[in-house]
Amino acid sequence: MFWVLAAVPFFLFLFSGSALSQSTPNRSIEWFPCTLDIEGTPSTCGTLAVPLDYTEQGSERLLNLSLIKVNATKEPFKGSVMFNPGGPGYPVRSILAGRSGEFFLNGTGGNFDLISFDPRCYDSSVDLQNILLLTPLSSLSSDTAVGTAWAYKRTLAETCYENRKDIGDLIGTAFVARDMMQIVDALGEDGMLRYWGFSYGSVLGATVAAMFPDRMDKVVLDGVLNLHQYYAGRDVEQLIAADESFNGFIEACVSSPETCILAREGITAQTLSTEINQLLETIKYRPLGLGSNNTNDVVEYDLTEGLIINGLRTPSTSWPALAGYFDAILKRNLTAYHEFRDTLLGGSISAAFAVDANPGIRCSDVSLRTDNLTGLLPLIEEFQNTSRFGGGILAVAQPITCAQWRFQAKERYEGDFQVQTKNPILLVGSPFDHITPLASAQNHCSIGQPSLCTYKAIREYFINGTLPDTGTQCDPDVTDFGKSSSTLSKRAAQDSEDAVLLNAALSVSQDLLQRFRLF
Ligand SMILES: *[C@@H]1O[C@H](CO)[C@@H](O)[C@H](O)[C@H]1NC(C)=O
Ligand SMILES: *[C@@H]1O[C@H](CO)[C@@H](O)[C@H](O)[C@H]1NC(C)=O
Ligand SMILES: *[C@@H]1O[C@H](CO)[C@@H](O)[C@H](O)[C@H]1NC(C)=O
Ligand SMILES: *[C@@H]1O[C@H](CO)[C@@H](O)[C@H](O)[C@H]1NC(C)=O
Ligand SMILES: *[C@@H]1O[C@H](CO)[C@@H](O)[C@H](O)[C@H]1NC(C)=O
Ligand SMILES: *[C@@H]1O[C@H](CO)[C@@H](O)[C@H](O)[C@H]1NC(C)=O
Ligand SMILES: *[C@@H]1O[C@H](CO)[C@@H](O)[C@H](O)[C@H]1NC(C)=O
Ligand SMILES: *[C@@H]1O[C@H](CO)[C@@H](O)[C@H](O)[C@H]1NC(C)=O
Ligand SMILES: *[C@@H]1O[C@H](CO)[C@@H](O)[C@H](O)[C@H]1NC(C)=O
């Protein structure tokens, strides 16, 4: 696998906005010591009051954004870089305050302050954990599952509507883009945005670039999603690489006998693939009970699919655990099964999905709405056809949820719009990008599989504004099965700073994986 870097001077883009208040803010960020109680990177917290509803002319109603800043460590100071790790809806402050902050500081060169902020109204989220937990994880593996998922997601949509009428239409991506420019204004630097966004963060970055093209300095879109499909609520393209990644997993395992537990003597990709497919069939139609007496458990198919699609995103950190998970089931070892399942699940339920922020932002952004499940079936089938592992799970989390959503963001994207940004934007994508220039898979942003060449290109872009040649390809520096890579050891011997950076990248990948799932 390799990374493709491309510089794009402009976007072809969908945009439609209403008349908006253009008042220049006269508000400043209030900075204070963080009380997040997270170990990792020294950081400063802040708040900035921004308009609650940008479509309300002359309104005095404000919203306090919760900010975080990681200070630059090098002179000369070159300004601030804003950062979004995806989701949508992740509590970004806790990410930067953790181990990720230092890594991204290095990743941008050390001369920039890193700034980010939690989703709008995140602090005041009504805890909908109960209703979300009551919704069974579904990969739509039986013919009754679509109806069940549809009904559960309707109850979620209704509950969110009844509980969040105050803000349900005020948290969409266009407002967040305006929030970012309010922060740029309040920082009082050069009035330009510098930004690094992953996955959904690429949608936010492209949106702010289309809305404020003259105010873009350096913008990196990493793990680019298809914008048109995102806003239409029909993002099947995020899945195009998933099944190929699974084949990649099998091949990498077979060629890494020292780290892949499934790689027995003489095994081929073909036999391993057959073995795992048979195992999946068994789990699906004749679920396995493991253990005995009071310690037992049933291996569930839907969960297994969820663990596969989630784990495929981060080869260097999750593939060994995925291999361990299959091996435990093949060996009927309950202890090992629990161990690897919990590693892949990341312990507790992720904060992002225990609240309403994720569907709240995505579903209010997208235009797809219907109360007719029959009419939605072709799209659901398209999701399923695109990936045998992620299709069902993401169909439930996205179209099945969003089609029934009761809020529509007050400002959102609809018509065609063409923009030339002041400076070129850097796209970082996967080998599968050949399908369309802006097509990529959510499971392929640069932290999924660390590559020094990619990080150096990004750093050089931020520091010097130098762009790699369009189509530049970078190889990963860590093997799919973890850090025992001979490349990494070789580099460690050659250049300890590079080795530190690669190790930090691995730990960030683990950190993000452990806390944020796709389902
Ligand atoms: C902005 O705020 C400062 C102090 O907070 C005040 O002195 C100044 O007059 C304000 N400017 C405007 C245009 O309101
Ligand atoms: C970051 O810099 C600001 C201003 O220079 C300072 O007040 C703050 O204490 C610094 N934060 C940390 C965590 O060192
Ligand atoms: C924002 O925070 C300030 C204190 O920092 C508080 O006085 C104000 O009421 C808050 N505004 C809102 C809308 O919550
Ligand atoms: C089954 O588990 C119970 C409780 O842990 C224990 O008391 C009992 O002896 C166990 N039975 C066998 C056959 O192991
Ligand atoms: C089952 O897995 C556990 C944890 O990985 C391991 O310690 C144990 O030896 C395994 N048991 C068997 C019978 O292989
Ligand atoms: C639902 O959609 C299907 C397929 O598009 C259509 O045939 C049917 O008439 C629709 N039902 C209603 C009640 O609109
Ligand atoms: C999905 O795949 C099946 C089997 O190949 C095919 O019959 C069906 O038309 C496909 N559906 C969509 C929406 O692409
Ligand atoms: C930026 O350019 C200078 C001068 O060409 C060079 O020495 C430096 O290494 C570059 N910095 C980065 C991060 O590439
Ligand atoms: C960041 O860079 C500094 C040197 O510039 C190095 O000492 C530190 O270990 C690096 N940290 C990470 C996480 O890469």
Side-chain angles (χ1 to χ4, degrees):
M1 195 191 285
F2 50 86
W3 300 106
V4 183
L5 309 178
V8 285
F10 60 88
F11 281 116
L12 192 61
F13 204 79
L14 296 169
F15 173 76
S16 126
S18 43
L20 294 155
S21 64
Q22 298 295 330
S23 64
T24 317
N26 188 24
R27 292 179 290 270
S28 57
I29 303 171
E30 204 182 302
W31 296 109
F32 49 84
C34 287
T35 51
L36 293 169
D37 201 23
I38 293 169
E39 294 213 0
T41 309
S43 43
T44 311
C45 285
T47 68
L48 173 66
V50 298
L52 175 66
D53 180 351
Y54 287 97
T55 66
E56 243 175 38
Q57 294 284 349
S59 167
E60 303 280 303
R61 293 201 298 158
L62 297 174
L63 160 83
N64 285 334
L65 287 180
S66 299
L67 277 68
I68 189 161
K69 174 169 71 151
V70 174
N71 287 347
T73 50
K74 282 187 191 158
E75 297 283 347
F77 179 61
K78 288 177 177 266
S80 300
V81 173
M82 259 185 260
F83 169 85
N84 185 291
Y90 292 162
V92 188
R93 291 191 310 160
S94 66
I95 295 176
L96 281 191
R99 286 175 294 178
S100 305
E102 193 191 348
F103 170 72
F104 289 118
L105 195 60
N106 273 16
T108 51
N111 304 73
F112 298 93
D113 285 349
L114 285 188
I115 292 197
S116 199
F117 54 100
D118 282 349
R120 292 189 134 223
C121 308
Y122 193 80
D123 295 343
S124 70
S125 275
V126 173
D127 189 359
L128 298 177
Q129 187 149 354
N130 284 341
I131 188 151
L132 283 170
L133 288 179
L134 279 174
T135 309
L137 174 66
S138 175
S139 69
L140 304 183
S141 55
S142 86
D143 67 351
T144 58
V146 172
T148 306
W150 176 258
Y152 273 108
K153 292 303 184 186
R154 183 169 59 240
T155 66
L156 174 66
E158 288 299 328
T159 307
C160 283
Y161 181 68
E162 292 305 332
N163 286 283
R164 299 317 323 251
K165 280 183 188 148
D166 52 340
I167 53 110
D169 55 0
L170 303 175
I171 60 177
T173 297
F175 276 13
V176 179
R178 294 189 187 279
D179 289 343
M180 294 213 293
M181 298 318 294
Q182 295 262 324
I183 295 171
V184 168
D185 287 334
L187 286 169
E189 294 166 0
D190 55 358
M192 302 290 283
L193 176 71
R194 283 162 288 277
Y195 176 79
W196 188 356
F198 298 86
S199 185
Y200 159 79
S202 74
V203 173
L204 176 58
T207 303
V208 74
M211 291 167 74
F212 302 94
D214 297 338
R215 302 189 61 188
M216 296 302 110
D217 183 10
K218 312 287 177 344
V219 174
V220 177
L221 307 183
D222 194 336
V224 182
L225 295 184
N226 181 315
L227 303 162
H228 304 272
Q229 290 193 353
Y230 171 85
Y231 280 116
R234 300 173 169 273
D235 190 0
V236 291
E237 219 168 80
Q238 64 187 311
L239 286 162
I240 52 175
D243 290 6
E244 242 175 286
S245 295
F246 191 74
N247 297 336
F249 162 78
I250 301 275
E251 275 158 28
C253 171
V254 167
S255 56
S256 318
E258 72 288 356
T259 39
C260 181
I261 194 165
L262 293 168
R264 295 184 306 277
E265 179 101 21
I267 198 163
T268 64
Q270 186 59 49
T271 50
L272 182 57
S273 175
T274 307
E275 206 170 294
I276 291 184
N277 281 324
Q278 278 168 356
L279 182 66
L280 290 171
E281 287 291 290
T282 304
I283 298 170
K284 192 165 173 178
Y285 296 105
R286 303 273 184 276
L288 289 168
L290 301 184
S292 62
N293 198 5
N294 285 331
T295 52
N296 47 38
D297 211 339
V298 173
V299 179
E300 286 178 54
Y301 182 76
D302 295 278
L303 177 64
T304 301
E305 255 200 43
L307 298 179
I308 293 173
I309 192 67
N310 203 50
L312 286 177
R313 291 183 299 171
T314 46
S316 309
T317 48
S318 315
W319 288 14
L322 206 49
Y325 179 82
F326 290 126
D327 185 64
I329 301 170
L330 286 166
K331 293 192 174 131
R332 310 288 190 264
N333 183 331
L334 180 69
T335 315
Y337 167 73
H338 280 158
E339 230 172 75
F340 289 112
R341 181 198 62 187
D342 293 348
T343 301
L344 290 167
L345 266 178
S348 63
I349 185 124
S350 100
F353 292 88
V355 294
D356 45 2
N358 179 272
I361 296 169
R362 177 192 298 280
C363 294
S364 72
D365 272 349
V366 312
S367 54
L368 175 73
R369 289 291 183 283
T370 181
D371 54 8
N372 182 349
L373 175 56
T374 310
L376 195 65
L377 290 178
L379 178 62
I380 295 170
E381 203 174 277
E382 206 182 327
F383 268 75
Q384 291 175 293
N385 282 4
T386 308
S387 166
R388 62 185 266 242
F389 299 113
I393 283 172
L394 290 191
V396 173
Q398 299 177 12
I400 289 178
T401 304
C402 294
Q404 308 184 84
W405 206 248
R406 300 282 304 273
F407 297 111
Q408 190 83 79
K410 278 204 162 166
E411 187 187 7
R412 51 178 303 283
Y413 293 88
E414 273 161 3
D416 269 320
F417 199 72
Q418 199 173 344
V419 180
Q420 172 125 24
T421 51
K422 182 159 186 218
N423 294 297
I425 284 172
L426 178 62
L427 304 182
V428 182
S430 75
F432 307 99
D433 276 3
H434 63 271
I435 292 177
T436 78
L438 278 179
S440 186
Q442 186 163 3
N443 43 357
H444 285 101
C445 55
S446 69
I447 47 173
Q449 197 173 34
S451 154
L452 275 176
C453 157
T454 304
Y455 294 136
K456 285 183 173 166
I458 292 172
R459 188 154 54 182
E460 194 165 329
Y461 171 65
F462 274 117
I463 296 281
N464 285 345
T466 320
L467 284 156
D469 294 334
T470 292
T472 298
Q473 295 183 1
C474 286
D475 290 319
D477 286 292
V478 180
T479 63
D480 302 328
F481 272 86
K483 47 176 142 174
S484 73
S485 157
S486 59
T487 325
L488 180 57
S489 335
K490 218 186 304 159
R491 282 191 192 275
Q494 276 170 2
D495 186 336
S496 63
E497 206 178 303
D498 286 356
V500 169
L501 192 64
L502 280 177
N503 274 318
L506 281 169
S507 104
V508 165
S509 159
Q510 189 74 37
D511 191 35
L512 288 176
L513 164 86
Q514 284 201 331
R515 291 188 302 138
F516 306 113
R517 316 208 274 268
L518 289 171
F519 56 89

